[in-house]
């Protein structure tokens, strides 16, 4: 179990214990494998707490060398000093578990990591966390190529929070699952304020500083446009034309938009869903949809006050995040006849075609179910709905209530 505390202080009256069994299991599967484990995820998603729980449950009798680089006493540590300290603490004839939290705070930390990885005197099992804008950088990907595995951490799921707090699905759609806000689910104003601060002062600021972005106005304009078009088909030309029409200044190029959009996605503020080609069984690169890395952050950006107006978008975003958390590769689909499918979920050589809606009724039944029937593939087809008032026909398409699916009461 993991406890979360808010604003950096432990308030024992507000501690909430939430299980992260899937993430711990994922880390256990890679334990003792000779690859660098890079724990990725949004800022404030709970990576550090999961690491601490992993140590407590699985490494209590092992030689663990753990550093939290948020601590002020470590801020002057250099990468050669860090390497020397780890070597001094290492033991022969056993695995030394090196766990480095917020490692990006050490300049040139990658030199230390590669030195440990290639060390032949001691046996190391290395785990890293850090801001995604650092851990996903192109230079690190090149340096760590063939030496690392990325273990993605997503916000707490509705099922995890429902089991612990009995929260409503409507509240989850509003506030999401970042661990730091869990203890304050009953205080709506505090959550809204804190989510806004996380978004602007932590996540966006981190990306701007890491990528040394000088044109912050352009960066924020790209963010604004992409949030306005969450769940809609878009491409870089759409963004370029929107900015050209709506911006007072136009000193930017298509290449700068492509670069900044990539940086936004590397930070997991937004996540890109590419279109899928049924015939080639491959993704199309010229268009995509975008979804937010957390529902609470999505609402803080597009305004809590218009919650009902964007309800369908939030429900789609919820299903996308749940699919990713369950280990699916996720695509979207639109054929030459404009037959659209919200998601194609792929895992273990199996595809599932999914439509998502708030209410399944007699008016939209033909669109939601009919589009699935138009796609001539021999894979599972599912409609996920919050409420249903339609007559459900036996037509080869499975209809599943979203809350039951989220709580693992039913599967496809």
């Amino acid at each position: 179990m993991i406890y979360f505390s808010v604003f950096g202080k432990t308030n024992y009256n507000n501690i909430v214990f939430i299980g992260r069994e899937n993430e711990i299991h994922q880390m256990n599967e890679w334990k003792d494998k000779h690859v660098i484990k890079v724990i990725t995820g949004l800022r404030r998603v709970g990576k550090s707490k999961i690491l601490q729980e992993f140590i407590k449950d699985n490494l209590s009798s092992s030689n663990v060398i753990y550093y939290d680089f948020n601590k002020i006493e470590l801020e002057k540590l250099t990468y050669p000093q860090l390497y020397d300290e780890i070597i001094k603490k290492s033991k022969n004839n056993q695995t030394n578990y090196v766990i480095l939290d917020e490692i990006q705070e050490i300049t040139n930390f990658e030199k230390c990591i590669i030195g440990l990885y290639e060390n032949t005197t001691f046996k190391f099992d290395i785990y890293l966390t850090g801001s995604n804008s650092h851990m996903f950088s192109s230079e690190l990907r090149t340096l760590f190529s063939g030496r690392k595995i990325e273990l993605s951490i997503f916000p707490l799921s509705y099922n995890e929070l429902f089991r612990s707090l009995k929260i409503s699905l409507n509240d989850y759609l509003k506030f999401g699952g970042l661990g730091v806000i869990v203890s304050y689910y009953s205080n709506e104003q505090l959550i809204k304020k804190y989510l806004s601060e996380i978004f602007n002062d932590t996540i966006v600021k981190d990306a701007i500083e890491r990528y040394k972005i000088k044109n912050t106005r352009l960066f924020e304009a790209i963010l604004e446009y992409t949030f306005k078009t969450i769940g809609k088909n878009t491409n870089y030309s759409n963004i370029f034309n929107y900015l050209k029409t709506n911006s007072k200044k136009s000193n930017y190029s298509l290449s700068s938009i492509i670069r900044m959009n990539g940086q936004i996605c590397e930070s997991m503020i937004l996540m890109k869903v590419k279109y899928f080609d049924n015939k080639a069984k491959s993704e199309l690169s010229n268009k995509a949809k975008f979804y937010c890395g957390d529902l609470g952050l999505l609402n803080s950006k597009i305004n809590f006050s218009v919650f009902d107006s964007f309800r369908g978008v939030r429900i789609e975003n919820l299903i996308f995040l749940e699919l990713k958390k369950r280990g699916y590769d996720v695509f979207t689909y639109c054929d030459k006849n404009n037959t659209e499918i919200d998601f194609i979920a792929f895992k273990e050589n199996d595809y599932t075609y999914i439509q998502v809606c708030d209410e399944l009724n007699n008016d939209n039944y033909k669109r939601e179910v009919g589009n699935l029937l138009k796609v001539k593939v021999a894979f599972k087809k599912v409609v996920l709905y919050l409420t249903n008032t339609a007559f459900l026909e036996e037509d080869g398409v499975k209809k599943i209530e979203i809350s039951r699916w989220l709580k693992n009461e039913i599967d496809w």
Side-chain angles (χ1 to χ4, degrees):
M1 306 301 289
I2 308 171
Y3 74 80
F4 294 88
S5 58
V6 183
F7 306 123
K9 296 193 296 185
T10 301
N11 183 337
Y12 290 99
N13 295 318
N14 290 298
I15 289 176
V16 177
F17 293 88
I18 305 292
R20 283 281 203 166
E21 293 88 354
N22 291 339
E23 287 83 352
I24 301 297
H25 175 73
Q26 186 183 28
M27 292 174 68
N28 263 320
E29 286 187 326
W30 287 98
K31 179 173 170 280
D32 297 323
K33 304 289 194 302
H34 189 53
V35 290
I36 301 164
K37 272 67 77 173
V38 181
I39 316 301
T40 62
L42 268 170
R43 297 296 301 270
R44 301 294 186 265
V45 79
K47 299 186 291 291
S48 299
K49 297 298 182 184
I50 291 170
L51 270 181
Q52 292 165 16
E53 183 67 10
F54 175 68
I55 294 170
K56 181 170 71 72
D57 285 355
N58 301 278
L59 305 177
S60 58
S61 60
S62 305
N63 188 39
V64 176
I65 303 168
Y66 174 85
Y67 286 85
D68 177 0
F69 294 102
N70 277 324
K71 293 185 175 180
I72 193 168
E73 58 264 32
L74 297 177
E75 67 178 9
K76 294 183 179 180
L77 194 67
T78 65
Y79 81 86
Q81 291 171 334
L82 175 61
Y83 180 84
D84 290 342
E85 280 198 16
I86 292 172
I87 293 298
K88 289 176 183 177
K89 294 177 180 179
S90 300
K91 297 180 180 180
N92 285 310
N93 303 317
Q94 64 174 279
T95 301
N96 299 279
Y97 295 93
V98 178
I99 300 178
L100 307 175
D101 198 2
E102 298 295 340
I103 184 63
Q104 81 280 351
E105 299 299 332
I106 301 295
T107 303
N108 295 324
F109 71 86
E110 61 275 10
K111 296 180 180 180
C112 171
I113 303 306
I114 294 301
L116 295 172
Y117 180 84
E118 296 179 344
N119 186 287
T120 57
T121 303
F122 299 101
K123 183 179 180 181
F124 292 109
D125 192 14
I126 304 169
Y127 299 78
L128 311 177
T129 77
S131 73
N132 272 30
S133 54
H134 286 75
M135 308 310 286
F136 275 152
S137 65
S138 57
E139 60 267 28
L140 271 190
R141 279 195 162 128
T142 301
L143 187 63
F144 287 172
S145 178
R147 298 163 164 161
K148 69 167 176 58
I149 183 73
E150 292 173 9
L151 304 179
S152 298
I153 305 298
F154 291 92
L156 289 158
S157 69
Y158 170 66
N159 189 41
E160 287 171 321
L161 289 173
F162 177 80
R163 283 183 299 159
S164 300
L165 303 177
K166 302 302 179 187
I167 68 164
S168 70
L169 184 53
N170 201 55
D171 277 350
Y172 186 76
L173 283 167
K174 274 188 180 180
F175 305 129
L178 290 183
V180 290
I181 59 94
V182 167
S183 296
Y184 289 82
Y185 248 93
S186 59
N187 190 327
E188 185 167 331
Q189 292 307 311
L190 181 60
I191 290 177
K192 288 178 178 179
K193 182 177 185 296
Y194 193 54
L195 283 170
S196 179
E197 289 179 358
I198 291 174
F199 187 88
N200 294 308
D201 298 340
T202 302
I203 297 174
V204 173
K205 183 180 178 183
D206 175 73
I208 288 172
E209 289 178 353
R210 166 64 184 97
Y211 295 115
K212 298 180 173 62
I213 293 170
K214 295 180 180 178
N215 193 343
T216 57
R217 182 175 295 179
L218 175 59
F219 186 83
E220 290 168 356
I222 294 170
L223 264 179
E224 180 181 357
Y225 173 82
T226 315
F227 270 95
K228 284 181 177 179
T229 58
I230 287 281
K232 296 180 180 179
N233 170 28
T234 190
N235 57 43
Y236 300 121
S237 295
N238 294 150
I239 302 173
F240 181 84
N241 292 331
Y242 169 84
L243 295 175
K244 188 175 181 180
T245 303
N246 293 277
S247 297
K248 294 179 180 179
K249 293 183 179 181
S250 57
N251 58 333
Y252 53 82
S253 63
L254 184 60
S255 61
S256 63
I257 290 172
I258 293 172
R259 184 183 67 255
M260 285 189 185
N261 182 268
Q263 292 163 346
I264 290 168
C265 290
E266 285 181 348
S267 302
M268 288 182 76
I269 302 170
L270 293 167
M271 303 177 74
K272 187 176 184 178
V273 181
K274 294 183 179 180
Y275 278 76
F276 189 78
D277 184 336
N278 264 339
K279 291 183 179 180
K281 291 290 184 290
S282 62
E283 61 190 34
L284 302 172
S285 60
N286 60 334
K287 57 182 180 178
K289 292 181 179 181
F290 294 90
Y291 293 95
C292 188
D294 175 71
L295 288 163
L297 295 178
L298 171 63
N299 291 321
S300 73
K301 187 62 180 174
I302 63 176
N303 196 339
F304 284 96
S305 64
V306 293
F307 178 77
D308 290 332
S309 303
F310 287 84
R311 187 175 174 85
V313 169
R314 290 170 169 89
I315 295 169
E316 266 190 46
N317 208 128
L318 162 68
I319 300 304
F320 166 73
L321 288 173
E322 183 68 21
L323 289 169
K324 293 296 291 182
K325 190 176 176 73
R326 294 188 185 192
Y328 286 94
D329 291 324
V330 182
F331 305 92
T332 190
Y333 175 86
C334 183
D335 65 16
K336 61 183 179 181
N337 298 315
N338 289 322
T339 300
E340 293 190 34
I341 306 297
D342 292 326
F343 299 118
I344 300 175
F346 174 73
K347 185 166 66 172
E348 298 174 354
N349 296 316
D350 192 24
Y351 296 87
T352 303
Y353 286 65
I354 304 166
Q355 290 281 74
V356 180
C357 61
D358 185 350
E359 179 185 356
L360 185 60
N361 53 47
N362 291 325
D363 293 330
N364 66 6
Y365 190 93
K366 185 176 180 180
R367 181 183 73 247
E368 302 295 351
V369 177
N371 279 10
L372 288 168
L373 294 174
K374 288 177 186 178
V375 181
K376 303 302 181 183
V377 293
F379 296 110
K380 294 188 288 287
K381 299 174 181 179
V382 177
V383 175
L384 293 172
Y385 62 85
L386 272 186
T387 58
N388 168 58
T389 59
F391 173 74
L392 301 182
E393 301 177 19
E394 294 294 330
D395 45 26
V397 175
K398 196 164 186 177
K399 294 86 178 176
I400 300 175
E401 185 182 344
I402 287 173
S403 63
R404 293 190 66 201
W405 178 71
L406 292 173
K407 290 187 282 188
N408 295 319
E409 295 174 357
I410 190 170
D411 200 0
W412 50 63

